[in-house]
Each structure stands twice: as C-alpha cells, then as structure tokens.
Amino acid sequence: MADMLEIRWHGRGGQGAKTASLLLAEAAAMEGKYSQGFPDYGPERMGAPMRGFNRISEEPIRLHCAIYSPKIVVVLDDTLISTADIASGLPDDGIIIVNTLKKPAEIRAELGLEGRMIYTVNATGIAIDEIGRPIPNSPMLGALVKVSPFLPLESVIEQIKKKFSHGFRPEVLEGNVRAINRAYEEVTSE
Amino acid sequence: MREKSWREIPIGGMIEDAGNADTYETGSWRTYRPIWDAEKCIHCLACWIACPDSAIQLKDGKMVGIDYSHCKGCGICAFECPDKIAALEMKLETEVND
Amino acid sequence: MARRLTLSGNDAAAEAMRQIDPDVVTCFPITPQTELMHKFAEFVADGEVKAEMVLVESEHSAMSAAVGAASAGARVMTATAANGLALMWEIVYIAASNRLPIVMPVVNRALSGPINIHCDHSDTMGCRDTGWIQLYSENAQEVYDNVLQAIRIAENPDVLLPVMVTFDGFIISHTVEVLDALEDKDARGWIGDYKSTYSLLNTDEPATFGPLDLQDYYFEHKRQQIEGMNNATAVIKSVGEAYGKLSGRAYGMTENYKTDDADYVVIALGSTCGTAKVVVDEMRAEGKRVGLLKLRSFRPFPHAEIVAGLASAKAVAVLDRSVSFGAPGGPVHKEILAALNGTGHTTSIVNYLYGLGGRDISTTHIRTVFEELETVAGKSIPADEVRFIGLRG
C-alpha cells in the first residue's frame, strides 16, 4: 500500500473539515481511484477542534484503522497551530498546508519544525470575498490539489458543482468555484 | 389426542384452524350447572353479553338454551340475570343428575 | 453492469433498501444508525420508493410494528444500534420465534455505560442467542451486498428467520468509500417478490398468530427454530454463490484469507478484517505464513469452515470486540474452542480482547498479535487467559 495517499484535516466544528474530506473522497472516486473519507466523531460543537481523514489509492483500500502517519496535513484554522498536534506522525517529506495570512516561514517558526514542506493560503479571506462566508474548506481543496496534484483541479470543481447543485443558490456554487480556483493560484510555498 | 412431533406442526406456533376453541369441549369442567327457565326469561341478553364461553345460545335474537358442552359453570349468567326475573339458577351437577 | 458509488456504510445500506423497497420500514433513530434511516426517509419523501415508513416512539415499538407488519405478510425492514437493540430485546426474540423474515441492519456500537457512541460488538454479541441470523460486514461493499442477500436468506422457506446485517459504527457506518452496486433492475430481479405463508390480513384463511404455547408444544417449536437455523448454513452458502454469479462477488460462511498453509491465523469479524488482510499481505511478503479467518456468519456458526481454515495452524488468535463477563474468554473465542472440540486439534488458541468503545486497532497491533503467536505455538493456553490489545496497563 506504498502508493496510498493519507491526508489529515484539522479544523474547528463548522469550518467544513468533514465536508471537505468527504468531498475529496468522492472527487477521487470520480477519477476512478479508490478512496475513503471519514471524520473523528465526538461531541461535535461549533468551534471545537476536530479532524477529518482521507485515504486515496489506485487499489481497493482495505485498511479501516485510524490514520497515524499522513503524507499531507491540511489546517483550516491557524489558531490550531498552537493547540492541536499538527505535525503528529508527519513523515520528513510530508506536507502541511495552512489557511492563514502568515507566510510559510512564520508557520515553520511557530511549529518549531524542521524538514517537511509548508504551504500557506488565505483561504478565509478568499471565502469571504468569493462566497461571502468565512468557510475555508472549498478553497483549501483547491490549494491541496495544487500542492499535491493527485487529482486534477477540474474533478474537484466537478464534485463541488454536484454538491451545490441542489438546494443552493447559483451564486453559492459560482462563489465556491471561484474560491477553489483562486486558492489554487494563490497558495504559496516557502 | 396424540401430541404431534416437531416435524408435523406449523412453524412459529401458528394455529391454522382459526376458532378451534369450538372443538375443545370444556363442559366436563362444570361443578355447577345453570338451569334456564324459558317461561321467566325476558330475553334481555345480559347473560349472553357476560358469558365468557359464548355458551348462551340464541336464535333470531332470543335466547333458546345453553351450550352445555362448553359452559364451565362459572355462574356469571345467573349473577347477571336481573334479580326480579331470576330465569337462571345454578344447581350442583350432582343434584341435576341427568 | 455495476454502478460505482462513493457512499458511507449507512448510505450503502440505505441504497440496498431503496432497491429492495420493502413494504414496510419501521424506524426509530439512534447514533450511529440515524443517517441510514435519514437517507431512506429521503427516498420515501422523494417518491423513489413505495415503502410505508412507520415512525415510532421507541425501538421496542419499532420491532413491535415490524412484527405486526411481517405477520400481516409484508416484507419488513428496520435498523438500529446498541441501546436501541437492547430496548428491542423482548420483541427481537418474538420476531425469530414467530418465524418472521425481518431484515435489520445493526450498526455495531458499544452498549452503555459509561455512554459511548463508538464501535464494539457488545450489542449484537449480546443477542447472539435470540434466534436471528447474524452476518457481519467488513466494509461498505459488504454492507450493501449482505443486505441484498439477507432478504433471500431470511425469506427462504427452509429458513424463515430474521437476519441482522451488522457493520461497525463510524468505522464503516460513517466512512465514505467506493463500492459497486447492482443496477436497479438486476437488484429487483435478485430480490423477487415475497409471498408470506400466513397473513393476518387474509380473512379467507384465518389463523391464530403468536398463541400461548406451554409445556406441550413450546419445545417442539424451539426444535423447529433450531432446524431453520441449521438449514440457514446451506442457504447462506447457496445465496452467496448465486450472488457471486450476479455481481462478481461471491460470499460464504467465512472468508478464509491465505489460511491454506498458514502457521498463524487471526480470527476476527467486521472492519478489523480489512486491516488484518493488509498485515497478512505485508508479513507474507516477508516470508511469514500467516492468514486471516473472517467470520461472516456468526449465527449460524461456521463450524466446518473454521475447522478447515485452521487445519495447518500452529497457533491462532481469536479477536473479541466484546466481553462475556465472568466467562472464560470472549464470545467468539468460546465458540471457536467449541468448534474445535473433538476434532483432534492441538492448535494453541489465544484470546485477545480489543477495540471496546471504538478503541482503534492498527496494523501495528495486529502485527504484534501475529508475533506473539509465534511464541505460543505448541503451548497449552488456559481457556480463561485473555490478552488485551491497546489497553493502557
């Protein structure tokens, strides 16, 4: 299972980490891959730190245990940097993508981390501009597939369109698509 | 009656012949027997309503007799029969002696 | 033609229920089953199914309504988990005793208390003697496949027993993953129509349902239930085979994964089996002869497959995800010992208790179990020796 990609999402209740992980699983499946998406379930409350997970592989996935060593960590809220163990289990060539106004070097200093690759994007700012609400999960999906192109951007956008095609105003869908595209362009490395 | 083996009976405790209580005669359980006086009876049917064994026999809405093959002799009919009428009287089976 | 879907275990069960479109579905929500019925309720609201959905005020009522509807001759489904199953308890027995082929997904969750919403098998293991058939599912694919097969198994005239299709709470119920589903017409053809032997609504042939049954016949009716459960073994196998022809995914009583020449075998149920297969493959690549024996059917218990699957084993680990307090070992362990009794087996069998209340079991844990087996081979293990996985000392 060496070619299996494992991803961990850190967010706060209400920021859409669960939705993002489920959406990513569906987008990967649409590309003919095998995937899993699952959150940590507990007493969910708005604002409580929570995590979501993904496995993506070319082969059927049989593992049904927790993810301990993800290749990629996506952080939806930079206030979690100091409270959640963001880099836990992340291998030396692992990737951290943070929604923040800060630069990757600042995040590295805060984490006191060596190795790994750190990326940042102002996903909340993009979400407010484009969707009108501070929900950073859609743009973070755009940033994720830019940093690690295991899926084409188009399939993520297709999945978002599917998700928002029922019961949402067209502006919401269009805003989400613009947000994904912008984060895809604006995510920055060190 | 021979009791059947598990291979011979319907599953799940189902009883396929509905209303088969009719074939199960309980008349021999009786210690007291209700005796009906057709002359006194006003056919109010209080006994028919109260009888737990459906042993009061009717024809055209009027009482015609008692089904002694099912009557257990509980005496409810005689109790329910209006005091002023007293068309039903309980007698010891041993005294009736038919 | 298969349809590739990405669904949670709950939605996979609901998808199978959509295709089955039972006459009656009775429902009371409980975590982690709620999303299953939520999804099915959407199908009802959207007019995609014709099922009569009966919302009740408790699980006791959910099963009671299911028994009533099934007695009327309807094809009936419900679903529950943990404490909900516990509240159904009384009527769960009645469904089996009255030989009503109700199919019920049960999302495995720890029984309270202390209150816990996550997976273990204490709920369904607790009702292993209710007279229900129990099929355990490894992943969302098996949830879907087992629900479709359960209908055919339950309604088989030689069986006529209710079936629980179980799957691990959250680990399967709330994990979105890829599965292949049948086309609707294939699923409908597979399910076919149901004609009950008796019906409360058949006034032309009135019958008595659920009567008093004392010393004279109760024992005979229990013997019939035993027969139905015994018959279920052959039916589960033939239905699993036929389903394989239809879908490409055949099923048996167990899945004996690389056990043929295995020195060391792990026995488990549910989602843990997927994780264990990964470990088996890794260790096989290292030259270790290891295997997994997955119990798919726990009721009826797959004696023959277990004896065959352990033929070459020097040591066996039985993984229990529930406690049988005061008993020597967990429920699965005891039954494995019973299955081997009298077969001349000299295998060393170790009982492991794991995963209570959703405690994770990782590949590292399972590898450790296999490594421990290497050290116990040939030794006599007391039946009441229990080892713990992932418990803080």
Side-chain angles (χ1 to χ4, degrees):
Chain A
M1 297 301 248
D3 65 336
M4 187 165 64
L5 175 65
E6 294 184 319
I7 301 171
R8 183 171 68 221
W9 298 76
H10 288 270
R12 295 189 180 280
Q15 291 176 333
K18 171 188 165 181
T19 305
S21 71
L22 301 189
L23 223 122
L24 184 64
E26 289 169 25
M30 248 175 48
E31 283 297 307
K33 296 174 190 293
Y34 291 88
S35 62
Q36 289 179 345
F38 55 100
D40 259 347
Y41 279 92
E44 296 91 341
R45 296 140 297 170
M46 185 75 86
M50 58 84 62
R51 302 181 303 174
F53 300 91
N54 284 114
R55 287 190 175 101
I56 294 167
S57 171
E58 300 297 328
E59 304 291 321
I61 300 170
R62 297 172 299 178
L63 283 176
H64 279 103
C65 54
I67 288 175
Y68 294 97
S69 300
K71 174 78 187 297
I72 303 174
V73 169
V74 186
V75 183
L76 294 181
D77 187 325
D78 63 1
T79 61
L80 289 164
I81 295 281
S82 53
T83 54
D85 194 356
I86 299 301
S88 169
L90 196 66
D92 288 343
D93 62 347
I95 294 166
I96 300 177
I97 311 169
V98 186
N99 166 27
T100 181
L101 286 161
K102 294 170 189 165
K103 293 190 166 53
E106 294 173 75
I107 298 292
R108 178 175 293 285
E110 276 184 45
L111 284 169
L113 202 64
E114 291 180 5
R116 287 87 158 190
M117 286 162 281
I118 299 179
Y119 297 82
T120 62
V121 62
N122 179 15
T124 301
I126 292 172
I128 290 171
D129 284 355
E130 305 296 346
I131 310 168
R133 293 181 65 196
I135 297 180
N137 59 354
S138 302
M140 287 306 275
L141 280 166
L144 171 62
V145 295
K146 174 69 171 292
V147 169
S148 181
F150 56 91
L151 284 182
L153 179 65
E154 294 71 40
S155 70
V156 175
I157 289 174
E158 271 312 302
Q159 200 55 42
I160 284 278
K161 283 181 177 167
K162 233 171 95 182
K163 199 86 187 168
F164 288 101
S165 61
H166 297 294
F168 289 91
R169 287 176 290 120
E171 303 91 86
V172 176
L173 167 60
E174 289 156 18
N176 271 281
V177 172
R178 281 197 307 276
I180 292 172
N181 277 314
R182 265 190 63 189
Y184 186 86
E185 296 303 331
E186 293 176 22
V187 62
T188 54
S189 62
E190 286 175 271
Chain B
M1 184 164 53
R2 185 185 76 88
E3 288 177 330
K4 292 176 179 170
S5 97
W6 64 272
R7 297 173 194 278
E8 299 170 301
I9 53 175
I11 59 167
M14 292 298 306
I15 298 172
E16 291 174 339
D17 45 340
N20 67 3
D22 193 42
T23 64
Y24 195 84
E25 300 199 341
T26 51
S28 66
W29 300 8
R30 226 170 25 244
T31 306
Y32 288 90
R33 178 188 297 203
I35 304 293
W36 177 56
D37 186 335
E39 299 297 316
K40 293 183 183 172
C41 182
I42 58 168
H43 305 282
C44 68
L45 305 191
C47 55
W48 176 78
I49 291 167
C51 176
D53 289 299
S54 305
I56 304 297
Q57 295 168 318
L58 300 189
K59 193 177 178 198
D60 299 331
K62 294 197 167 181
M63 182 167 176
V64 293
I66 296 170
D67 171 9
Y68 287 123
S69 57
H70 290 97
C71 168
K72 294 174 190 153
C74 68
I76 291 175
C77 56
F79 181 84
E80 293 296 332
C81 189
D83 289 344
K84 281 188 273 184
I85 307 299
L88 283 156
E89 188 188 354
M90 299 306 290
K91 288 193 171 162
L92 271 170
E93 277 290 330
T94 50
E95 289 175 3
V96 179
N97 196 15
D98 55 350
Chain C
M1 265 304 288
R3 295 179 300 137
R4 179 143 295 189
L5 304 174
T6 315
L7 297 176
S8 68
N10 273 336
D11 285 356
E15 172 65 7
M17 285 176 67
R18 181 188 66 78
Q19 293 181 317
I20 294 165
D21 195 359
D23 299 312
V24 174
V25 171
T26 70
C27 166
F28 191 81
I30 182 168
T31 299
Q33 168 270 117
T34 305
E35 287 79 357
L36 191 170
M37 281 301 185
H38 186 166
K39 189 73 197 171
F40 188 76
E42 278 181 21
F43 293 140
V44 174
D46 293 346
E48 292 190 43
V49 291
K50 297 193 290 289
E52 178 81 29
M53 193 157 188
V54 186
L55 306 180
V56 293
E57 76 287 1
S58 76
E59 285 86 356
H60 191 277
S61 302
M63 186 49 70
S64 298
V67 164
S71 299
R75 180 180 271 160
V76 186
M77 295 185 73
T78 183
T80 193
N83 296 35
L85 182 59
L87 185 54
M88 279 182 183
W89 202 256
E90 177 190 11
I91 316 299
V92 166
Y93 274 87
I94 292 171
S97 303
N98 286 10
R99 310 299 296 272
L100 302 172
I102 298 164
V103 171
M104 173 165 70
V106 179
V107 188
N108 283 118
R109 164 187 156 181
L111 279 169
S112 300
I115 292 178
N116 181 297
I117 58 168
H118 286 280
C119 172
D120 68 33
H121 296 160
S122 53
D123 49 5
T124 51
M125 280 297 159
C127 63
R128 62 191 183 274
D129 291 340
T130 53
W132 283 59
I133 291 166
Q134 291 190 336
L135 302 178
Y136 285 74
S137 319
E138 180 186 317
N139 49 36
Q141 180 72 66
E142 291 194 5
V143 171
Y144 172 83
D145 293 339
N146 281 340
V147 170
L148 286 182
Q149 290 173 73
I151 297 284
R152 291 267 299 257
I153 295 164
E155 293 172 1
N156 185 294
D158 293 334
V159 178
L160 284 174
L161 287 171
V163 181
M164 286 179 201
V165 173
T166 87
F167 50 104
D168 289 349
F170 292 103
I171 302 167
I172 300 302
S173 69
H174 285 62
T175 293
V176 163
E177 58 184 2
V178 177
L179 66 142
D180 290 329
L182 300 177
E183 296 290 349
D184 284 1
K185 65 172 171 43
D186 294 335
R188 286 302 309 170
W190 165 260
I191 290 301
D193 292 328
Y194 170 56
K195 178 89 178 69
S196 68
T197 316
Y198 303 103
S199 167
L200 276 171
L201 301 179
N202 181 359
T203 50
D204 294 333
E205 293 173 318
T208 304
F209 292 69
L212 186 70
D213 198 22
L214 300 179
Q215 294 97 323
D216 53 353
Y217 275 110
Y218 181 88
F219 203 170
E220 275 69 27
H221 287 124
K222 289 297 132 181
R223 178 63 185 84
Q224 292 178 325
Q225 258 182 276
I226 294 170
E227 191 71 3
M229 187 59 91
N230 289 345
N231 293 344
T233 300
V235 172
I236 290 169
K237 284 194 229 181
S238 66
V239 167
E241 219 168 281
Y243 189 77
K245 291 196 180 114
L246 177 68
S247 68
R249 296 179 299 278
Y251 286 82
M253 294 289 284
T254 63
E255 183 184 351
N256 294 5
Y257 187 74
K258 302 189 180 179
T259 56
D260 279 355
D261 64 341
D263 294 331
Y264 307 106
V265 175
V266 161
I267 299 177
L269 314 85
S271 65
T272 304
C273 296
T275 309
K277 284 177 192 168
V278 173
V279 178
V280 166
D281 286 356
E282 285 173 3
M283 294 184 76
R284 284 268 170 184
E286 297 160 15
K288 301 243 163 74
R289 292 200 295 196
V290 295
L292 166 79
L293 202 159
K294 175 173 95 182
L295 302 183
R296 174 184 179 234
S297 173
F298 189 75
R299 286 288 181 271
F301 197 72
H303 292 265
E305 287 78 2
I306 286 163
V307 173
L310 301 182
S312 67
K314 295 175 184 161
V316 174
V318 183
L319 271 51
D320 266 295
R321 203 164 193 160
S322 67
V323 192
S324 184
F325 293 103
V332 186
H333 172 246
K334 280 185 295 186
E335 305 242 353
I336 296 291
L337 292 185
L340 294 180
N341 189 35
T343 63
H345 250 279
T346 53
T347 315
S348 305
I349 297 176
V350 190
N351 190 201
Y352 287 87
L353 185 58
Y354 82 101
L356 298 190
R359 182 68 50 86
D360 190 44
I361 182 161
S362 67
T363 52
T364 312
H365 288 133
I366 294 169
R367 177 177 281 269
T368 305
V369 168
F370 276 121
E371 287 166 358
E372 285 185 17
L373 285 185
E374 293 177 23
T375 69
V376 303
K379 291 184 184 158
S380 167
I381 310 290
D384 60 352
E385 180 182 319
V386 179
R387 303 185 184 190
F388 298 91
I389 302 173
L391 177 76
R392 289 185 296 277

